[in-house]
Amino acid sequence: MKLDDIDKRILRALQRDGRMANNDLAREVGLSPSPCLRRVKLLEEAGVIDRYVAMLNPAKIGKGQTFFTRIWLKAQDEDTIEHFAAEVAKLPEVLECYLMLGDCDAMVRVVAANIDAYRRFQSEHLSRIKGVQNVKTDVPSQTIKQTSEMPL
Amino acid sequence: MKLDDIDKRILRALQRDGRMANNDLAREVGLSPSPCLRRVKLLEEAGVIDRYVAMLNPAKIGKGQTFFTRIWLKAQDEDTIEHFAAEVAKLPEVLECYLMLGDCDAMVRVVAANIDAYRRFQSEHLSRIKGVQNVKTDVPSQTIKQTSEMPL
DNA sequence: CAATCTTCGCAACCAAATTGCGCCCGCCTT
DNA sequence: AAGGCGGGCGCAATTTGGTTGCGAAGATTG
């Protein structure tokens, strides 16, 4: 799908505020409300806009700390990987999980209240998944930037 | 702030669909529209709900691949770090940046169309930031899970 | 240069958000 | 234990914003 300049402005605005009123959005991108809404609907149908979500403040719900954990599996066959993926998907504390090329086999992003809570999670859940050989956790001390806004 | 069971149901629903109509939300959490809206507003004011955003499909805007890059700086003094943070914040391809405890000094999540585009970005922007000594990129081959839904 | 396709803006209509108010239930006080 | 007090609910009226249909203007192509 080709995106013209107005589409990009719409996407930038909705990435900042996904609940912006269509009238305000229209004014911001230099259109009247109806063609603006039509474009938004087209972007949604085309799948460019995947979904709208509320972003919570992790600190306010006791999930203030992020952890990145690299994982090495005992084997790289499909069964081992499938099983690992299925188990990880069940853990709500794991917000992201990627299979990796190169050094490690997988990487997960986990949220927890603090390091102690994370350590408990790691030993009680992550390390107990069948096929997991070794894990190494990278701990952020400070967040410099954290956004979901894609460059356009 | 203390969250009761209804608050949690509201947050779960809005994390799935941030544009859900208040009437539907009310029905889902077992409340009538006005107290439901009142709770949403309170959650917003308390900062539990930080913001609403549109999530784009990265593949549809030519940013289909994610890269995790660990960064080692030449020094760890405040000036070096401040400068690095300021420069990284300017790069729209960097969606996340954390200062790290332990092995490396920082870690960034970068989106790009593909590996070649990323390599170009790394050599032309990341590596050229003053104070950057070494970088090591971890490349996901497959995304198992990717969400912004916090556990409640 | 004309025909056509696209996309816009206007206006009317419809749906949803928002606000004010009275009621009910649980809790505290006496 | 009864009376009063506060918090939170639901209803209904109002306002605001979303939605749709149509005619007009500009761009594109043969």
Side-chain angles (χ1 to χ4, degrees), chain B residues 4 9 14 22 46 66 77 79 89 96 106 120 145 148-149 151:
Chain B
D4 68 13
R9 266 180 279 175
L14 289 178
N22 183 56
T66 293
D77 58 284
D79 281 356
E96 298 174 43
R120 211 171 312 129
K145 187 176 188 179
S148 56
E149 289 178 38

Side-chain angles (χ1 to χ4, degrees), chain B:
Chain B
M1 180 178 186
K2 93 180 228 316
L3 302 172
D4 68 13
D5 201 60
I6 294 181
D7 289 323
K8 289 179 183 177
R9 266 180 279 175
I10 289 175
L11 294 175
R12 270 190 281 265
L14 289 178
Q15 283 191 104
R16 271 189 289 105
D17 180 3
R19 266 195 166 181
M20 180 180 287
N22 183 56
N23 288 0
D24 298 339
L25 180 62
R27 199 168 337 105
E28 182 169 328
V29 304
L31 235 55
S32 69
S34 22
C36 180
L37 184 65
R38 206 173 317 134
R39 279 169 180 263
V40 170
K41 287 290 148 72
L42 285 173
L43 289 166
E44 291 169 359
E45 278 162 28
V48 178
I49 297 175
D50 185 50
R51 49 210 272 264
Y52 299 90
V53 302
M55 302 291 285
L56 308 190
N57 182 334
K60 293 277 170 75
I61 53 172
K63 305 284 163 176
Q65 183 66 279
T66 293
F67 301 87
F68 291 98
T69 303
R70 281 172 291 154
I71 295 167
W72 286 261
L73 298 174
K74 286 173 182 150
Q76 285 73 38
D77 58 284
E78 198 167 315
D79 281 356
T80 304
I81 290 173
E82 285 281 319
H83 180 260
F84 172 76
E87 290 299 310
V88 155
K90 291 182 196 166
L91 303 173
E93 294 88 350
V94 175
L95 262 42
E96 298 174 43
C97 175
Y98 307 92
L99 300 182
M100 304 298 283
L101 294 170
D103 189 16
C104 61
D105 294 311
M107 173 160 166
V108 294
R109 181 161 83 91
V110 178
V111 291
N114 51 55
I115 292 216
D116 291 333
Y118 173 75
R119 289 227 171 87
R120 211 171 312 129
F121 171 77
Q122 180 175 307
S123 61
E124 288 180 13
H125 293 100
L126 264 190
S127 298
R128 283 193 191 169
I129 296 174
K130 190 160 158 280
V132 170
Q133 182 167 77
N134 190 25
V135 304
K136 180 166 180 183
T137 302
D138 291 302
V139 184
S141 61
Q142 196 186 331
T143 301
I144 301 296
K145 187 176 188 179
Q146 194 170 35
T147 180
S148 56
E149 289 178 38
M150 292 284 166
L152 294 166

